[in-house]
Each structure stands twice: as structure tokens, then as C-alpha cells.
Amino acid sequence: MAVTFEVLAEPNRRRILDLLRDGERSVGDLVDELALSQPSVSKHLRTLREAGLVVVRPDAQRRWYQLRSEPLREVDAWLDPYRRAWAERLDALERHLDDMED
């Protein structure tokens, strides 16, 4: 999971994943959306692929990239106890503030 966090730390890679949420895209589509050079987008896609966050489907001369949700589910599962702890603290704060109004 440490590799996943390292990969997700780069903003352009997160932007690529955001675009892939809506479905698979070609490198050319991503280049157009991101306003980055094709070599730069390809480099980010290779990193995302090696980390298991995307898969590639060749189709003649094009390569279509698709999001893999499994590694992100692992991150979500790891974050869940922290999310719950903060929710409990915020609920306690809300109760305290409500009590102060009385």
C-alpha cells in the first residue's frame, strides 16, 4: 500500500485517475484533457499501471486505459478507522455545542 500512496502523491496521476473514473480512455484523450505532453502522460500511465491502479487494453494502434478499483479499496479500508474516529469526535463536538446553546 505504500507504493499506492507514493503514486497517488503526484497530482497529475490523481487527475488521470479522476478522468478514468468515468470509463476507459486512450492516451490521446488524456493528453487533450490534461494539457500535458504525450510522453509525460505515458510516463504517468506506466507508473499507474505498475502500481496496479490502471490496466491497459490494446485495440489496433490505440491503447485504452481503465481504472482498477482494488488498490483504492485497500486504501479506503485502511483509512476507515481514521474516518470513523474523526466522525465520532465531530459528533461529540456537535453535541457539546448543542448543549452550550441551552
Side-chain angles (χ1 to χ4, degrees):
M1 188 168 34
V3 170
T4 302
F5 279 115
E6 284 180 34
V7 170
L8 293 174
E10 209 288 325
N12 288 314
R13 292 184 197 134
R14 290 193 309 269
R15 289 174 57 206
I16 290 170
L17 293 177
D18 288 343
L19 292 169
L20 293 176
R21 273 193 318 228
D22 296 329
E24 66 180 10
R25 295 201 182 214
S26 70
V27 175
D29 293 339
L30 294 169
V31 167
D32 292 342
E33 288 284 335
L34 298 168
L36 296 172
S37 69
Q38 187 275 327
S40 179
V41 171
S42 291
K43 180 180 174 185
H44 288 305
L45 286 167
R46 183 179 68 234
T47 302
L48 289 166
R49 192 184 70 238
E50 289 171 355
L53 290 162
V54 300
V55 292
V56 62
R57 179 179 61 84
D59 181 29
Q61 298 299 321
R62 297 181 107 185
R63 303 244 182 272
W64 293 91
Y65 287 85
Q66 184 176 19
L67 181 66
R68 277 192 71 239
S69 60
E70 292 84 1
L72 297 173
R73 283 191 209 132
E74 291 174 17
V75 170
D76 184 56
W78 182 82
L79 288 170
D80 189 56
Y82 299 97
R83 195 178 302 116
R84 281 188 310 216
W86 275 107
E88 291 169 8
R89 289 183 178 118
L90 290 172
D91 289 345
L93 176 61
E94 182 181 25
R95 286 190 301 275
H96 174 72
L97 293 173
D98 286 345
D99 291 344
M100 287 178 58
E101 291 178 1
D102 295 336

